[in-house]
Amino acid sequence: MASNRIGRINEEIQRELAELLRTLKDPRVQAMISVTRVETTGDLRYAKVYISVLEKERSRDVLKGLKSAGGFLRREIGNRLQLRYTPELVFELDDSIEHGAHIFDLIAKLHDQEEQRGEHHDEE
């Protein structure tokens, strides 16, 4: 039952953060950012926030900007979610979207190679 509660809290934090990130004035955080997932510890002390940045070369600056805005974001989440403890936000880069795109490219290349082999076998 507790894991279900944590799952709901993770979803709420993710939704609120996605909304709050659009309101930040920090120029480092003006890139296209997606909150891909949130993992909160069982005691609600820490929440690891995985973000994906469209412009990879700006990802380090985005992390610095988010770390700088961490106190504001934590306070706003505390006000919106009414939790006994508002978790400390720890931001991490998530490369799963990039990894998924890479895997998709590899599969597409394999598919193309299979089609080419099929054409050569049909001619023989």
Side-chain angles (χ1 to χ4, degrees), residues 71-89:
F72 166 76
L73 294 170
R74 182 180 184 189
R75 185 176 67 244
E76 287 297 312
I77 286 175
N79 290 340
R80 292 176 181 207
L81 296 186
Q82 303 292 315
L83 296 170
R84 178 176 291 168
Y85 300 111
T86 303
E88 182 177 329
L89 303 174

Side-chain angles (χ1 to χ4, degrees), residues 13-14 17-18 21 24 28-29 31-39 47-56 58-67 73 89-98:
I13 291 173
Q14 181 176 354
L17 270 178
L21 289 179
L24 291 179
R28 296 175 291 188
V29 189
M32 285 290 293
I33 302 170
S34 298
V35 179
T36 55
R37 72 180 190 273
V38 175
E39 293 176 356
K48 194 176 280 191
V49 180
Y50 292 91
I51 61 159
S52 178
V53 182
L54 185 62
E55 304 168 34
K56 294 296 174 204
R58 294 190 55 204
S59 57
R60 294 290 168 211
D61 285 340
V62 168
L63 275 180
K64 288 178 186 174
L66 289 173
K67 189 172 185 176
L73 294 170
L89 303 174
V90 180
F91 294 97
E92 299 262 331
L93 284 177
D94 184 5
D95 62 350
S96 63
I97 294 174
E98 184 179 313

Side-chain angles (χ1 to χ4, degrees), residues 15-30:
R15 184 175 18 258
E16 294 297 335
L17 270 178
E19 190 176 312
L20 284 168
L21 289 179
R22 287 186 244 131
T23 67
L24 291 179
K25 304 279 191 271
D26 191 331
R28 296 175 291 188
V29 189
Q30 298 303 314

